[in-house]
PDB file of all heavy atoms in Angstrom:
ATOM      1  N   PRO A  79     124.783 -49.690 -49.088  1.00 85.00           N
ATOM      2  CA  PRO A  79     124.955 -50.128 -50.411  1.00 85.00           C
ATOM      3  C   PRO A  79     126.510 -50.313 -50.799  1.00 85.00           C
ATOM      4  O   PRO A  79     127.407 -49.867 -50.070  1.00 85.00           O
ATOM      5  CB  PRO A  79     124.582 -48.853 -51.221  1.00 85.00           C
ATOM      6  CG  PRO A  79     124.663 -47.720 -50.245  1.00 85.00           C
ATOM      7  CD  PRO A  79     124.460 -48.241 -48.939  1.00 85.00           C
ATOM      8  N   ALA A  80     126.696 -51.142 -51.724  1.00 92.00           N
ATOM      9  CA  ALA A  80     128.044 -51.182 -52.260  1.00 92.00           C
ATOM     10  C   ALA A  80     128.366 -49.811 -52.908  1.00 92.00           C
ATOM     11  O   ALA A  80     127.429 -49.084 -53.367  1.00 92.00           O
ATOM     12  CB  ALA A  80     128.177 -52.181 -53.356  1.00 92.00           C
ATOM     13  N   ARG A  81     129.612 -49.438 -52.869  1.00 96.00           N
ATOM     14  CA  ARG A  81     130.036 -48.120 -53.399  1.00 96.00           C
ATOM     15  C   ARG A  81     131.077 -48.214 -54.589  1.00 96.00           C
ATOM     16  O   ARG A  81     132.073 -48.989 -54.357  1.00 96.00           O
ATOM     17  CB  ARG A  81     130.737 -47.240 -52.328  1.00 96.00           C
ATOM     18  CG  ARG A  81     129.746 -46.934 -51.064  1.00 96.00           C
ATOM     19  CD  ARG A  81     128.757 -45.817 -51.558  1.00 96.00           C
ATOM     20  NE  ARG A  81     128.087 -45.321 -50.356  1.00 96.00           N
ATOM     21  CZ  ARG A  81     126.977 -44.557 -50.456  1.00 96.00           C
ATOM     22  NH1 ARG A  81     126.395 -44.215 -51.531  1.00 96.00           N
ATOM     23  NH2 ARG A  81     126.402 -44.115 -49.329  1.00 96.00           N
ATOM     24  N   ILE A  82     130.863 -47.555 -55.692  1.00 98.00           N
ATOM     25  CA  ILE A  82     131.927 -47.468 -56.682  1.00 98.00           C
ATOM     26  C   ILE A  82     132.872 -46.264 -56.350  1.00 98.00           C
ATOM     27  O   ILE A  82     132.445 -45.169 -55.960  1.00 98.00           O
ATOM     28  CB  ILE A  82     131.293 -47.100 -58.158  1.00 98.00           C
ATOM     29  CG1 ILE A  82     130.212 -48.293 -58.380  1.00 98.00           C
ATOM     30  CG2 ILE A  82     132.380 -46.986 -59.129  1.00 98.00           C
ATOM     31  CD1 ILE A  82     129.476 -47.806 -59.658  1.00 98.00           C
ATOM     32  N   THR A  83     134.217 -46.573 -56.182  1.00 97.00           N
ATOM     33  CA  THR A  83     135.172 -45.703 -55.795  1.00 97.00           C
ATOM     34  C   THR A  83     136.046 -45.176 -56.939  1.00 97.00           C
ATOM     35  O   THR A  83     136.759 -44.166 -56.840  1.00 97.00           O
ATOM     36  CB  THR A  83     136.086 -46.215 -54.670  1.00 97.00           C
ATOM     37  OG1 THR A  83     136.777 -47.319 -55.169  1.00 97.00           O
ATOM     38  CG2 THR A  83     135.182 -46.593 -53.460  1.00 97.00           C
ATOM     39  N   TYR A  84     135.932 -45.933 -58.020  1.00 98.00           N
ATOM     40  CA  TYR A  84     136.966 -45.666 -59.241  1.00 98.00           C
ATOM     41  C   TYR A  84     136.235 -46.140 -60.495  1.00 98.00           C
ATOM     42  O   TYR A  84     135.737 -47.196 -60.448  1.00 98.00           O
ATOM     43  CB  TYR A  84     138.229 -46.262 -58.909  1.00 98.00           C
ATOM     44  CG  TYR A  84     139.301 -46.327 -60.083  1.00 98.00           C
ATOM     45  CD1 TYR A  84     140.286 -45.230 -60.029  1.00 98.00           C
ATOM     46  CD2 TYR A  84     139.345 -47.339 -60.935  1.00 98.00           C
ATOM     47  CE1 TYR A  84     141.151 -45.252 -61.077  1.00 98.00           C
ATOM     48  CE2 TYR A  84     140.262 -47.337 -61.953  1.00 98.00           C
ATOM     49  CZ  TYR A  84     141.104 -46.254 -61.998  1.00 98.00           C
ATOM     50  OH  TYR A  84     142.198 -46.201 -62.960  1.00 98.00           O
ATOM     51  N   LEU A  85     136.590 -45.239 -61.542  1.00 98.00           N
ATOM     52  CA  LEU A  85     136.174 -45.756 -62.815  1.00 98.00           C
ATOM     53  C   LEU A  85     137.222 -45.340 -63.812  1.00 98.00           C
ATOM     54  O   LEU A  85     137.757 -44.209 -63.798  1.00 98.00           O
ATOM     55  CB  LEU A  85     134.922 -44.884 -63.272  1.00 98.00           C
ATOM     56  CG  LEU A  85     134.385 -44.988 -64.785  1.00 98.00           C
ATOM     57  CD1 LEU A  85     133.951 -46.486 -65.034  1.00 98.00           C
ATOM     58  CD2 LEU A  85     133.317 -44.103 -65.054  1.00 98.00           C
ATOM     59  N   LYS A  86     137.566 -46.203 -64.692  1.00 98.00           N
ATOM     60  CA  LYS A  86     138.502 -45.935 -65.846  1.00 98.00           C
ATOM     61  C   LYS A  86     137.959 -46.494 -67.044  1.00 98.00           C
ATOM     62  O   LYS A  86     137.439 -47.570 -67.101  1.00 98.00           O
ATOM     63  CB  LYS A  86     139.996 -46.675 -65.481  1.00 98.00           C
ATOM     64  CG  LYS A  86     141.008 -46.223 -66.606  1.00 98.00           C
ATOM     65  CD  LYS A  86     142.293 -46.941 -66.287  1.00 98.00           C
ATOM     66  CE  LYS A  86     143.277 -46.538 -67.462  1.00 98.00           C
ATOM     67  NZ  LYS A  86     144.707 -47.102 -67.234  1.00 98.00           N
ATOM     68  N   VAL A  87     137.897 -45.609 -68.041  1.00 98.00           N
ATOM     69  CA  VAL A  87     137.382 -45.985 -69.274  1.00 98.00           C
ATOM     70  C   VAL A  87     138.353 -45.791 -70.355  1.00 98.00           C
ATOM     71  O   VAL A  87     139.004 -44.567 -70.569  1.00 98.00           O
ATOM     72  CB  VAL A  87     136.001 -45.167 -69.605  1.00 98.00           C
ATOM     73  CG1 VAL A  87     135.332 -45.701 -70.965  1.00 98.00           C
ATOM     74  CG2 VAL A  87     135.056 -45.327 -68.556  1.00 98.00           C
ATOM     75  N   CYS A  88     138.592 -46.694 -71.327  1.00 98.00           N
ATOM     76  CA  CYS A  88     139.455 -46.512 -72.501  1.00 98.00           C
ATOM     77  C   CYS A  88     138.757 -46.770 -73.899  1.00 98.00           C
ATOM     78  O   CYS A  88     138.045 -47.764 -73.903  1.00 98.00           O
ATOM     79  CB  CYS A  88     140.678 -47.405 -72.330  1.00 98.00           C
ATOM     80  SG  CYS A  88     141.849 -46.966 -70.825  1.00 98.00           S
ATOM     81  N   ASN A  89     138.861 -45.936 -74.889  1.00 98.00           N
ATOM     82  CA  ASN A  89     138.487 -46.182 -76.209  1.00 98.00           C
ATOM     83  C   ASN A  89     136.928 -46.233 -76.200  1.00 98.00           C
ATOM     84  O   ASN A  89     136.361 -47.085 -76.905  1.00 98.00           O
ATOM     85  CB  ASN A  89     139.194 -47.458 -76.776  1.00 98.00           C
ATOM     86  CG  ASN A  89     140.581 -47.137 -77.043  1.00 98.00           C
ATOM     87  OD1 ASN A  89     141.008 -46.041 -77.485  1.00 98.00           O
ATOM     88  ND2 ASN A  89     141.454 -48.165 -76.834  1.00 98.00           N
ATOM     89  N   PHE A  90     136.218 -45.510 -75.402  1.00 98.00           N
ATOM     90  CA  PHE A  90     134.755 -45.439 -75.440  1.00 98.00           C
ATOM     91  C   PHE A  90     134.370 -44.181 -76.070  1.00 98.00           C
ATOM     92  O   PHE A  90     134.485 -43.026 -75.319  1.00 98.00           O
ATOM     93  CB  PHE A  90     134.175 -45.645 -74.116  1.00 98.00           C
ATOM     94  CG  PHE A  90     132.699 -46.003 -74.146  1.00 98.00           C
ATOM     95  CD1 PHE A  90     132.118 -47.230 -73.806  1.00 98.00           C
ATOM     96  CD2 PHE A  90     131.770 -44.884 -74.328  1.00 98.00           C
ATOM     97  CE1 PHE A  90     130.761 -47.463 -73.870  1.00 98.00           C
ATOM     98  CE2 PHE A  90     130.443 -45.078 -74.307  1.00 98.00           C
ATOM     99  CZ  PHE A  90     130.032 -46.378 -74.057  1.00 98.00           C
ATOM    100  N   ARG A  91     134.187 -43.975 -77.324  1.00 97.00           N
ATOM    101  CA  ARG A  91     133.857 -42.698 -78.066  1.00 97.00           C
ATOM    102  C   ARG A  91     134.880 -41.796 -77.694  1.00 97.00           C
ATOM    103  O   ARG A  91     136.208 -41.878 -77.894  1.00 97.00           O
ATOM    104  CB  ARG A  91     132.432 -42.227 -77.641  1.00 97.00           C
ATOM    105  CG  ARG A  91     131.355 -43.157 -78.066  1.00 97.00           C
ATOM    106  CD  ARG A  91     130.022 -42.439 -78.224  1.00 97.00           C
ATOM    107  NE  ARG A  91     129.006 -43.419 -78.513  1.00 97.00           N
ATOM    108  CZ  ARG A  91     127.832 -43.848 -77.653  1.00 97.00           C
ATOM    109  NH1 ARG A  91     127.931 -43.503 -76.450  1.00 97.00           N
ATOM    110  NH2 ARG A  91     127.009 -44.636 -78.162  1.00 97.00           N
ATOM    111  N   ALA A  92     134.564 -40.533 -77.112  1.00 97.00           N
ATOM    112  CA  ALA A  92     135.634 -39.532 -76.849  1.00 97.00           C
ATOM    113  C   ALA A  92     136.362 -39.753 -75.637  1.00 97.00           C
ATOM    114  O   ALA A  92     137.397 -39.055 -75.220  1.00 97.00           O
ATOM    115  CB  ALA A  92     134.946 -38.005 -76.677  1.00 97.00           C
ATOM    116  N   LEU A  93     136.159 -40.658 -74.919  1.00 98.00           N
ATOM    117  CA  LEU A  93     136.862 -41.199 -73.572  1.00 98.00           C
ATOM    118  C   LEU A  93     137.948 -42.058 -73.982  1.00 98.00           C
ATOM    119  O   LEU A  93     137.882 -43.250 -73.866  1.00 98.00           O
ATOM    120  CB  LEU A  93     135.936 -41.848 -72.628  1.00 98.00           C
ATOM    121  CG  LEU A  93     134.494 -41.175 -72.360  1.00 98.00           C
ATOM    122  CD1 LEU A  93     133.739 -42.053 -71.353  1.00 98.00           C
ATOM    123  CD2 LEU A  93     134.834 -39.814 -71.849  1.00 98.00           C
ATOM    124  N   ARG A  94     138.992 -41.523 -74.558  1.00 97.00           N
ATOM    125  CA  ARG A  94     140.127 -42.191 -74.826  1.00 97.00           C
ATOM    126  C   ARG A  94     140.890 -42.836 -73.730  1.00 97.00           C
ATOM    127  O   ARG A  94     141.249 -44.098 -73.762  1.00 97.00           O
ATOM    128  CB  ARG A  94     141.247 -41.376 -75.677  1.00 97.00           C
ATOM    129  CG  ARG A  94     142.354 -42.095 -76.312  1.00 97.00           C
ATOM    130  CD  ARG A  94     143.227 -41.186 -76.946  1.00 97.00           C
ATOM    131  NE  ARG A  94     144.300 -41.958 -77.762  1.00 97.00           N
ATOM    132  CZ  ARG A  94     145.314 -41.398 -78.468  1.00 97.00           C
ATOM    133  NH1 ARG A  94     145.292 -40.084 -78.699  1.00 97.00           N
ATOM    134  NH2 ARG A  94     146.128 -42.091 -79.048  1.00 97.00           N
ATOM    135  N   GLU A  95     141.006 -42.223 -72.732  1.00 97.00           N
ATOM    136  CA  GLU A  95     141.505 -42.733 -71.336  1.00 97.00           C
ATOM    137  C   GLU A  95     141.225 -41.608 -70.286  1.00 97.00           C
ATOM    138  O   GLU A  95     141.781 -40.684 -70.211  1.00 97.00           O
ATOM    139  CB  GLU A  95     143.071 -42.830 -71.523  1.00 97.00           C
ATOM    140  CG  GLU A  95     143.543 -43.471 -70.193  1.00 97.00           C
ATOM    141  CD  GLU A  95     145.004 -43.697 -70.312  1.00 97.00           C
ATOM    142  OE1 GLU A  95     145.673 -43.651 -71.362  1.00 97.00           O
ATOM    143  OE2 GLU A  95     145.568 -44.156 -69.146  1.00 97.00           O
ATOM    144  N   VAL A  96     140.112 -41.920 -69.544  1.00 98.00           N
ATOM    145  CA  VAL A  96     139.563 -41.136 -68.535  1.00 98.00           C
ATOM    146  C   VAL A  96     139.505 -41.925 -67.250  1.00 98.00           C
ATOM    147  O   VAL A  96     138.927 -43.104 -67.287  1.00 98.00           O
ATOM    148  CB  VAL A  96     138.093 -40.631 -68.946  1.00 98.00           C
ATOM    149  CG1 VAL A  96     137.378 -40.036 -67.686  1.00 98.00           C
ATOM    150  CG2 VAL A  96     138.227 -39.560 -70.227  1.00 98.00           C
ATOM    151  N   GLU A  97     140.007 -41.305 -66.254  1.00 98.00           N
ATOM    152  CA  GLU A  97     139.794 -41.891 -64.835  1.00 98.00           C
ATOM    153  C   GLU A  97     139.132 -40.944 -63.975  1.00 98.00           C
ATOM    154  O   GLU A  97     139.438 -39.718 -63.997  1.00 98.00           O
ATOM    155  CB  GLU A  97     141.265 -42.096 -64.259  1.00 98.00           C
ATOM    156  CG  GLU A  97     142.126 -43.257 -64.932  1.00 98.00           C
ATOM    157  CD  GLU A  97     143.395 -43.478 -64.208  1.00 98.00           C
ATOM    158  OE1 GLU A  97     144.376 -42.735 -64.661  1.00 98.00           O
ATOM    159  OE2 GLU A  97     143.524 -44.280 -63.183  1.00 98.00           O
ATOM    160  N   LEU A  98     138.198 -41.575 -63.202  1.00 98.00           N
ATOM    161  CA  LEU A  98     137.529 -40.820 -62.141  1.00 98.00           C
ATOM    162  C   LEU A  98     137.800 -41.646 -60.822  1.00 98.00           C
ATOM    163  O   LEU A  98     137.254 -42.597 -60.570  1.00 98.00           O
ATOM    164  CB  LEU A  98     136.020 -40.909 -62.331  1.00 98.00           C
ATOM    165  CG  LEU A  98     135.539 -40.160 -63.690  1.00 98.00           C
ATOM    166  CD1 LEU A  98     133.932 -40.312 -63.735  1.00 98.00           C
ATOM    167  CD2 LEU A  98     135.949 -38.880 -63.837  1.00 98.00           C
ATOM    168  N   ALA A  99     138.845 -41.056 -60.108  1.00 97.00           N
ATOM    169  CA  ALA A  99     139.273 -41.662 -58.941  1.00 97.00           C
ATOM    170  C   ALA A  99     138.519 -40.968 -57.607  1.00 97.00           C
ATOM    171  O   ALA A  99     138.141 -39.848 -57.735  1.00 97.00           O
ATOM    172  CB  ALA A  99     140.733 -41.518 -58.690  1.00 97.00           C
ATOM    173  N   ASP A 100     138.360 -41.659 -56.541  1.00 96.00           N
ATOM    174  CA  ASP A 100     137.923 -41.189 -55.403  1.00 96.00           C
ATOM    175  C   ASP A 100     136.498 -40.570 -55.564  1.00 96.00           C
ATOM    176  O   ASP A 100     136.194 -39.629 -55.116  1.00 96.00           O
ATOM    177  CB  ASP A 100     138.843 -40.186 -54.714  1.00 96.00           C
ATOM    178  CG  ASP A 100     140.240 -40.543 -54.394  1.00 96.00           C
ATOM    179  OD1 ASP A 100     140.350 -41.809 -53.905  1.00 96.00           O
ATOM    180  OD2 ASP A 100     141.173 -39.830 -54.673  1.00 96.00           O
ATOM    181  N   LEU A 101     135.672 -41.451 -56.217  1.00 97.00           N
ATOM    182  CA  LEU A 101     134.334 -41.095 -56.487  1.00 97.00           C
ATOM    183  C   LEU A 101     133.591 -40.841 -55.134  1.00 97.00           C
ATOM    184  O   LEU A 101     133.699 -41.691 -54.178  1.00 97.00           O
ATOM    185  CB  LEU A 101     133.565 -42.126 -57.276  1.00 97.00           C
ATOM    186  CG  LEU A 101     134.046 -42.068 -58.734  1.00 97.00           C
ATOM    187  CD1 LEU A 101     133.381 -43.285 -59.451  1.00 97.00           C
ATOM    188  CD2 LEU A 101     133.596 -40.810 -59.519  1.00 97.00           C
ATOM    189  N   THR A 102     132.942 -39.779 -55.068  1.00 97.00           N
ATOM    190  CA  THR A 102     131.994 -39.519 -53.920  1.00 97.00           C
ATOM    191  C   THR A 102     130.733 -40.199 -54.028  1.00 97.00           C
ATOM    192  O   THR A 102     130.242 -40.534 -55.062  1.00 97.00           O
ATOM    193  CB  THR A 102     131.885 -38.051 -53.656  1.00 97.00           C
ATOM    194  OG1 THR A 102     131.548 -37.458 -55.048  1.00 97.00           O
ATOM    195  CG2 THR A 102     133.236 -37.421 -53.285  1.00 97.00           C
ATOM    196  N   PRO A 103     129.774 -40.366 -52.936  1.00 97.00           N
ATOM    197  CA  PRO A 103     128.472 -40.979 -52.987  1.00 97.00           C
ATOM    198  C   PRO A 103     127.614 -40.106 -54.067  1.00 97.00           C
ATOM    199  O   PRO A 103     126.712 -40.657 -54.788  1.00 97.00           O
ATOM    200  CB  PRO A 103     128.023 -40.985 -51.590  1.00 97.00           C
ATOM    201  CG  PRO A 103     129.267 -40.991 -50.801  1.00 97.00           C
ATOM    202  CD  PRO A 103     130.227 -40.274 -51.487  1.00 97.00           C
ATOM    203  N   LEU A 104     127.797 -38.852 -54.087  1.00 98.00           N
ATOM    204  CA  LEU A 104     127.193 -38.013 -55.071  1.00 98.00           C
ATOM    205  C   LEU A 104     128.147 -37.410 -55.914  1.00 98.00           C
ATOM    206  O   LEU A 104     129.104 -36.750 -55.524  1.00 98.00           O
ATOM    207  CB  LEU A 104     126.275 -36.960 -54.435  1.00 98.00           C
ATOM    208  CG  LEU A 104     125.689 -35.813 -55.390  1.00 98.00           C
ATOM    209  CD1 LEU A 104     124.801 -36.387 -56.442  1.00 98.00           C
ATOM    210  CD2 LEU A 104     125.009 -34.648 -54.705  1.00 98.00           C
ATOM    211  N   THR A 105     128.221 -37.809 -57.298  1.00 98.00           N
ATOM    212  CA  THR A 105     129.138 -37.285 -58.285  1.00 98.00           C
ATOM    213  C   THR A 105     128.362 -36.524 -59.243  1.00 98.00           C
ATOM    214  O   THR A 105     127.508 -37.119 -59.878  1.00 98.00           O
ATOM    215  CB  THR A 105     130.008 -38.363 -58.829  1.00 98.00           C
ATOM    216  OG1 THR A 105     130.746 -39.046 -57.721  1.00 98.00           O
ATOM    217  CG2 THR A 105     130.908 -37.854 -59.811  1.00 98.00           C
ATOM    218  N   VAL A 106     128.752 -35.277 -59.574  1.00 98.00           N
ATOM    219  CA  VAL A 106     128.064 -34.520 -60.527  1.00 98.00           C
ATOM    220  C   VAL A 106     129.070 -34.182 -61.729  1.00 98.00           C
ATOM    221  O   VAL A 106     130.224 -33.664 -61.341  1.00 98.00           O
ATOM    222  CB  VAL A 106     127.526 -33.272 -59.894  1.00 98.00           C
ATOM    223  CG1 VAL A 106     126.845 -32.369 -60.980  1.00 98.00           C
ATOM    224  CG2 VAL A 106     126.499 -33.523 -58.884  1.00 98.00           C
ATOM    225  N   LEU A 107     128.747 -34.320 -62.923  1.00 98.00           N
ATOM    226  CA  LEU A 107     129.672 -33.916 -64.024  1.00 98.00           C
ATOM    227  C   LEU A 107     129.135 -32.680 -64.561  1.00 98.00           C
ATOM    228  O   LEU A 107     127.863 -32.424 -64.924  1.00 98.00           O
ATOM    229  CB  LEU A 107     129.438 -35.067 -65.117  1.00 98.00           C
ATOM    230  CG  LEU A 107     129.720 -36.580 -64.695  1.00 98.00           C
ATOM    231  CD1 LEU A 107     129.582 -37.564 -65.774  1.00 98.00           C
ATOM    232  CD2 LEU A 107     131.144 -36.583 -63.989  1.00 98.00           C
ATOM    233  N   LEU A 108     130.131 -31.821 -64.902  1.00 97.00           N
ATOM    234  CA  LEU A 108     129.768 -30.368 -65.382  1.00 97.00           C
ATOM    235  C   LEU A 108     130.827 -30.226 -66.604  1.00 97.00           C
ATOM    236  O   LEU A 108     131.980 -30.565 -66.638  1.00 97.00           O
ATOM    237  CB  LEU A 108     130.153 -29.353 -64.288  1.00 97.00           C
ATOM    238  CG  LEU A 108     130.211 -27.899 -64.698  1.00 97.00           C
ATOM    239  CD1 LEU A 108     128.744 -27.514 -64.904  1.00 97.00           C
ATOM    240  CD2 LEU A 108     130.888 -27.149 -63.619  1.00 97.00           C
ATOM    241  N   GLY A 109     130.285 -29.573 -67.539  1.00 95.00           N
ATOM    242  CA  GLY A 109     131.218 -29.162 -68.676  1.00 95.00           C
ATOM    243  C   GLY A 109     130.274 -28.689 -69.895  1.00 95.00           C
ATOM    244  O   GLY A 109     129.040 -28.824 -69.925  1.00 95.00           O
ATOM    245  N   PRO A 110     130.954 -28.156 -70.956  1.00 95.00           N
ATOM    246  CA  PRO A 110     130.233 -27.701 -72.174  1.00 95.00           C
ATOM    247  C   PRO A 110     129.471 -28.872 -72.916  1.00 95.00           C
ATOM    248  O   PRO A 110     129.750 -30.031 -72.607  1.00 95.00           O
ATOM    249  CB  PRO A 110     131.317 -27.144 -73.022  1.00 95.00           C
ATOM    250  CG  PRO A 110     132.548 -26.870 -72.194  1.00 95.00           C
ATOM    251  CD  PRO A 110     132.371 -27.993 -70.947  1.00 95.00           C
ATOM    252  N   ASN A 111     128.602 -28.545 -73.682  1.00 95.00           N
ATOM    253  CA  ASN A 111     127.913 -29.551 -74.542  1.00 95.00           C
ATOM    254  C   ASN A 111     129.096 -30.275 -75.382  1.00 95.00           C
ATOM    255  O   ASN A 111     129.998 -29.541 -76.007  1.00 95.00           O
ATOM    256  CB  ASN A 111     127.031 -28.817 -75.544  1.00 95.00           C
ATOM    257  CG  ASN A 111     125.874 -28.225 -74.885  1.00 95.00           C
ATOM    258  OD1 ASN A 111     125.753 -26.984 -74.763  1.00 95.00           O
ATOM    259  ND2 ASN A 111     124.975 -29.116 -74.238  1.00 95.00           N
ATOM    260  N   GLY A 112     128.919 -31.563 -75.481  1.00 95.00           N
ATOM    261  CA  GLY A 112     129.907 -32.399 -76.209  1.00 95.00           C
ATOM    262  C   GLY A 112     131.166 -32.689 -75.528  1.00 95.00           C
ATOM    263  O   GLY A 112     132.139 -33.134 -76.162  1.00 95.00           O
ATOM    264  N   SER A 113     131.143 -32.412 -74.265  1.00 96.00           N
ATOM    265  CA  SER A 113     132.550 -32.553 -73.426  1.00 96.00           C
ATOM    266  C   SER A 113     132.728 -33.998 -73.059  1.00 96.00           C
ATOM    267  O   SER A 113     133.809 -34.344 -72.689  1.00 96.00           O
ATOM    268  CB  SER A 113     132.520 -31.527 -72.330  1.00 96.00           C
ATOM    269  OG  SER A 113     131.477 -31.821 -71.404  1.00 96.00           O
ATOM    270  N   GLY A 114     131.713 -34.752 -73.052  1.00 96.00           N
ATOM    271  CA  GLY A 114     131.825 -36.250 -72.558  1.00 96.00           C
ATOM    272  C   GLY A 114     130.868 -36.622 -71.507  1.00 96.00           C
ATOM    273  O   GLY A 114     131.066 -37.631 -70.932  1.00 96.00           O
ATOM    274  N   LYS A 115     130.005 -35.669 -70.951  1.00 97.00           N
ATOM    275  CA  LYS A 115     129.309 -36.037 -69.753  1.00 97.00           C
ATOM    276  C   LYS A 115     128.297 -37.111 -70.037  1.00 97.00           C
ATOM    277  O   LYS A 115     128.230 -38.034 -69.242  1.00 97.00           O
ATOM    278  CB  LYS A 115     128.478 -34.750 -69.268  1.00 97.00           C
ATOM    279  CG  LYS A 115     129.338 -33.431 -68.907  1.00 97.00           C
ATOM    280  CD  LYS A 115     128.434 -32.347 -68.418  1.00 97.00           C
ATOM    281  CE  LYS A 115     127.433 -31.870 -69.325  1.00 97.00           C
ATOM    282  NZ  LYS A 115     127.991 -31.483 -70.579  1.00 97.00           N
ATOM    283  N   SER A 116     127.525 -36.936 -71.125  1.00 97.00           N
ATOM    284  CA  SER A 116     126.595 -38.038 -71.465  1.00 97.00           C
ATOM    285  C   SER A 116     127.277 -39.341 -71.927  1.00 97.00           C
ATOM    286  O   SER A 116     126.736 -40.448 -71.756  1.00 97.00           O
ATOM    287  CB  SER A 116     125.711 -37.567 -72.647  1.00 97.00           C
ATOM    288  OG  SER A 116     124.871 -36.423 -72.307  1.00 97.00           O
TER     289      SER A 116
END
């Protein structure tokens, strides 16, 4: 498969400027309710 290795999001709801670099084939998001996972 093609692989996503990097994601940058700006001005998307609470994601004012978020970078996820060096993404692994399995990436899991953890955090409190309302932290931005969804």
Side-chain angles (χ1 to χ4, degrees):
R81 297 285 194 195
I82 301 170
T83 62
Y84 173 89
L85 171 71
K86 182 177 181 180
V87 185
C88 296
N89 290 324
F90 192 107
R91 298 198 182 111
L93 310 181
R94 185 178 188 180
E95 184 174 352
V96 168
E97 286 185 271
L98 301 179
D100 300 319
L101 287 171
T102 47
L104 171 61
T105 298
V106 178
L107 306 181
L108 172 71
N111 295 108
S113 60
K115 302 184 302 300
S116 294

